[in-house]
Amino acid sequence: MAAVATCGTGAGSTGSMVAAGSKNNVTSFQRRGPRASGSDSSYSRLVSIAGTRPSVRNGQLLVSTGLPALDQLLGGGLAVGTVLLIEEDKYNIYSSLLFKYFLAEGIINGHTLLVASAKEDPADILQELPAPLLDDNVKKDFDEDACNHKTAESNIKMKIAWRYQLLPKMEAGPVSSSRFGHYYDVSKKMPQELIEASKWHGFFFPEKSSSTLNIEPCSLTHGYIKLLQFIQNIIYEEGFDGSNPQVKKQKNILRIGIQNLGSPLWGDDLCCTENGNSRSLTKFLYVLRGLLRTSLSACMITMPTHLIQNKAIISRVTNLSDTVVGLESFIGSERETNPLYKDYHGLIHIRQIPRLNNLIYDVSDVKDLAFKLKRKLFTIERLHLPPDLSDTVSRSSKQDLAEPSKLLGPGCGVMAGGKKHLDF
């Protein structure tokens, strides 16, 4: 009887434990060994890196590009270990601005920078970075811009087609100081004390081209070899190598910025001849991606793809990049004086969004995107054609704009691989 009572007591206690476990959604088979706690602590250290956050889609660690609107279009940000290729605009005005945004975001978050260029000294590039804006100042700038356009918008509000009012709006202003990504004032330079307090490495190709290397035929150019060696040394020597993590050292992100890659300044003849040899550039991108995949680093590359005459080469370069964004400026084109595009400075094309560990990539549903440079801010907006044209616009200009408008799509999609709500 005592044994039965003991068993009954044990069964009762077991039942209470199961009930308590089910109530707290915790099973009795949960493993709590030192190995599990070690993985949890390493994961927490990885997530706690300043300026990063996990993706809501696949859990991949993300960093900001320095432009919150672009982060939203790319599915939350730039994935760590990937390459973002920026197709330069014709006069390299706005692409260089995105390049500076990317570097400025790294300085604000305390990331290590690696700036490579064959045109400008990296030290001079850092001196031209835009100054960060506080949330209150950004809200003030957006409010001022809204007040300036409030009267005009109220006058044409009844003329706009009802479908435009149902479109999801682009992220314009900040919500809180803890947001992912920052805003920058292009009219001011970053304070010198922030630049001096940052850690950065510069690669200026004219200074590195003095040394001699025995380069085999059909191999990498001298500039690409030196740059890959420089990047590899920084990754391994400073502990950014993900395959051999330094547990005792505080983890950080390495932001790599490469300017004007593929141009003649790097010793590449892709832009000079129609049938240029692309093996050097494609091999460089292939090796670079291998270095990024095993390290806590993210890379932005600007490339003058408009100078490459062979479209097959552009296709190879796109396939070797993870994310591809193209900028099309209106400067020097017919659209610059066309009243349909008077409120914008160019178009932005999201050509490719990465789908990691897969053989195919995502394509954004959003096609009708335009950008404009305001007094302080670079903004990305949906392209809305004016509801009515004045009588001074000729019939020929209307017909010329009919074809580009067909390529913009319905404009009812969501960001980065989402589904369309409406389809007209």
Side-chain angles (χ1 to χ4, degrees), residues 294-337:
T294 58
S295 63
L296 290 174
S297 57
C299 181
M300 173 183 284
I301 298 175
T302 66
M303 183 179 297
T305 54
H306 61 280
L307 298 179
I308 302 177
Q309 302 177 18
N310 193 339
K311 301 301 181 183
I313 296 178
I314 299 179
S315 178
R316 296 190 196 107
V317 171
T318 300
N319 292 333
L320 287 172
S321 304
D322 298 299
T323 308
V324 181
V325 177
L327 297 180
E328 180 184 351
S329 174
F330 292 158
I331 300 177
S333 64
E334 296 179 355
R335 295 180 179 180
E336 184 179 11
T337 57

Side-chain angles (χ1 to χ4, degrees), residues 273-292:
T273 59
E274 183 176 357
N275 297 321
N277 185 10
S278 64
R279 184 175 301 178
S280 182
L281 178 60
T282 54
K283 187 175 181 180
F284 171 83
L285 292 175
Y286 184 81
V287 177
L288 177 63
R289 287 181 65 182
L291 291 174
L292 295 178

Side-chain angles (χ1 to χ4, degrees), residues 48-355:
S48 63
I49 300 177
T52 63
R53 71 176 179 187
S55 171
V56 296
R57 300 178 62 194
N58 49 28
Q60 175 72 23
L61 198 63
L62 302 177
V63 296
S64 175
T65 60
L67 194 61
L70 183 58
D71 294 338
Q72 185 182 6
L73 292 171
L74 300 182
L78 178 62
V80 173
T82 61
V83 177
L84 168 60
L85 176 65
I86 302 294
E87 297 181 354
E88 298 178 0
D89 54 289
K90 188 175 181 180
Y91 295 98
N92 194 21
I93 297 176
Y94 303 104
S95 56
S96 62
L97 187 58
L98 294 183
F99 186 76
K100 294 175 182 178
Y101 276 151
F102 178 74
L103 299 178
E105 183 70 19
I107 290 182
I108 296 301
N109 291 307
H111 298 165
T112 303
L113 302 183
L114 194 157
V115 187
S117 176
K119 181 180 179 181
E120 301 178 67
D121 193 320
D124 297 335
I125 296 177
L126 295 181
Q127 296 298 326
E128 298 295 326
L129 297 183
L133 272 175
L134 299 177
D135 287 350
D136 295 337
N137 295 335
V138 180
K139 291 180 179 180
K140 182 179 179 181
D141 292 334
F142 276 105
D143 292 340
E144 290 178 357
D145 183 72
C147 292
N148 293 335
H149 295 82
K150 185 176 181 179
T151 304
E153 291 178 357
S154 60
N155 293 334
I156 66 174
K157 184 175 181 180
M158 298 302 297
K159 299 179 182 180
I160 298 179
W162 64 271
R163 64 181 288 264
Y164 285 109
Q165 302 182 16
L166 301 178
L167 293 179
K169 297 182 179 180
M170 293 295 300
E171 184 178 357
V175 179
S176 64
S177 58
S178 60
R179 79 165 29 259
F180 180 76
H182 300 81
Y183 292 85
Y184 298 91
D185 185 355
V186 296
S187 64
K188 298 180 181 179
K189 306 301 179 185
M190 180 169 290
Q192 189 64 29
E193 55 269 16
L194 291 179
I195 299 178
E196 294 177 353
S198 63
K199 185 176 182 180
W200 63 277
H201 305 274
F203 182 92
F204 190 36
F205 177 60
E207 295 180 353
K208 305 290 184 178
S209 60
S210 58
S211 59
T212 59
L213 283 176
N214 295 326
I215 303 177
E216 299 178 359
C218 299
S219 182
L220 290 169
T221 62
H222 175 62
Y224 294 161
I225 292 178
K226 297 292 291 184
L227 180 56
L228 284 175
Q229 291 176 349
F230 187 78
I231 295 175
Q232 183 179 18
N233 292 335
I234 297 300
I235 290 178
Y236 291 161
E237 293 177 0
E238 300 196 8
F240 295 105
D241 183 15
S243 61
N244 298 309
Q246 298 181 3
V247 181
K248 297 182 180 179
K249 187 177 181 180
Q250 180 66 29
K251 294 183 180 297
N252 199 2
I253 299 295
L254 175 65
R255 286 179 177 252
I256 304 174
I258 306 176
Q259 197 175 44
N260 307 125
L261 189 70
S263 66
L265 297 174
W266 286 97
D268 206 328
D269 62 346
L270 281 179
C271 303
C272 302
T273 59
E274 183 176 357
N275 297 321
N277 185 10
S278 64
R279 184 175 301 178
S280 182
L281 178 60
T282 54
K283 187 175 181 180
F284 171 83
L285 292 175
Y286 184 81
V287 177
L288 177 63
R289 287 181 65 182
L291 291 174
L292 295 178
R293 287 294 193 270
T294 58
S295 63
L296 290 174
S297 57
C299 181
M300 173 183 284
I301 298 175
T302 66
M303 183 179 297
T305 54
H306 61 280
L307 298 179
I308 302 177
Q309 302 177 18
N310 193 339
K311 301 301 181 183
I313 296 178
I314 299 179
S315 178
R316 296 190 196 107
V317 171
T318 300
N319 292 333
L320 287 172
S321 304
D322 298 299
T323 308
V324 181
V325 177
L327 297 180
E328 180 184 351
S329 174
F330 292 158
I331 300 177
S333 64
E334 296 179 355
R335 295 180 179 180
E336 184 179 11
T337 57
N338 198 304
L340 287 180
Y341 300 99
K342 63 181 180 179
D343 295 331
Y344 308 100
H345 293 147
L347 301 177
I348 183 169
H349 307 282
I350 309 297
R351 306 199 187 278
Q352 180 173 303
I353 299 175
R355 182 183 291 176

